[in-house]
Amino acid sequence: MAAIGTRQRHPLRVAGLVAAVLVLVAALAALVLFLWLRAYAPLSAPGNFGFAPGPGLGADVEPVTGSGGKTVFIPAYRKGRPFDTAFTLRNTGRFAVTVTGLAEDRSHPELGPGDLLTSDSSTASADPANVHAFHDLRLDPGDAAIVVVRWSLSCGSGSEAEVYSDSVPLRFRYLSTFTRTQAVRLPFAVTLRCQG
């Protein structure tokens, strides 16, 4: 009588159920890993590694209370003349990355990163004698390199009186599959003042 009340499961049915659960868990883990890798943001520009303005600096305002602790570079505006800043770019992630250049940024037409360059100086320097054309830059985990951003400056009728930027959008590749843009926060800000 007891044998009639208990029903035994077929071994293939149990194996199929276990296999389906394992496939579901593996698919969810793969999805989470894929989404994490797509949002990977390993680049940083720590202030303690060094930064510097190039020629054409109109003012250099040291951090004041309430400023967020950032130095502000104010270039002397001259039509058609860019302004360079150098900083140390570091890969703080787990994978090697290849920086391929700047992404387009049209948030402020008056002030924007125009070109990405490299420096052969051993310290952060935007001295024109040390600045060279940019080529793909590979950074292994923990590696750092000095890069130079050449800012495009444009004041004219309809320009905002004061525009600032404290980040640059960099394009990079990693794991041979992913290419993305990261807005790298700079340890300084560049402020353009357009006079009437």
Side-chain angles (χ1 to χ4, degrees):
M1 214 49 171
I4 295 174
T6 59
R7 220 173 135 201
Q8 291 188 352
R9 293 194 175 159
H10 194 277
L12 289 178
R13 183 181 232 179
V14 172
L17 184 61
V18 168
V21 169
L22 289 176
V23 167
L24 180 63
V25 168
L28 286 175
L31 178 65
V32 167
L33 180 64
F34 180 78
L35 293 175
W36 178 75
L37 288 173
R38 281 196 54 195
Y40 188 56
L43 301 176
S44 71
N48 58 340
F49 276 71
F51 57 92
L57 183 66
D60 179 359
V61 181
E62 293 298 318
V64 295
T65 305
S67 72
K70 289 189 176 190
T71 297
V72 178
F73 298 136
I74 303 171
Y77 176 72
R78 290 187 188 102
K79 187 174 182 170
R81 183 181 227 183
F83 176 67
D84 294 347
T85 56
F87 62 93
T88 304
L89 181 66
R90 187 161 187 256
N91 178 2
T92 59
R94 298 173 185 263
F95 310 113
V97 298
T98 301
V99 179
T100 58
L102 287 169
E104 211 169 307
D105 180 12
R106 296 181 185 252
S107 54
H108 295 288
E110 297 88 0
L111 173 69
D115 287 315
L116 188 63
L117 307 162
T118 59
S119 175
D120 59 13
S121 174
S122 60
T123 59
S125 169
D127 183 340
N130 298 331
V131 174
H132 306 284
F134 181 83
H135 301 287
D136 287 358
L137 174 65
R138 180 184 165 90
L139 294 173
D140 287 323
D143 278 356
I146 297 169
V147 294
V148 176
V149 173
R150 180 159 287 161
W151 299 87
S152 298
L153 310 175
S154 175
C155 289
S157 61
S159 294
E160 292 186 39
E162 188 170 285
V163 180
Y164 81 94
S165 181
D166 65 352
S167 67
V168 291
L170 295 178
R171 298 281 297 159
F172 65 95
R173 286 190 316 264
Y174 59 103
L175 296 178
S176 325
T177 305
F178 300 97
T179 299
R180 73 177 305 262
T181 299
Q182 178 185 343
V184 177
R185 306 292 286 165
L186 299 172
F188 57 87
V190 176
T191 298
L192 175 63
R193 292 182 175 160
C194 292
Q195 306 291 328

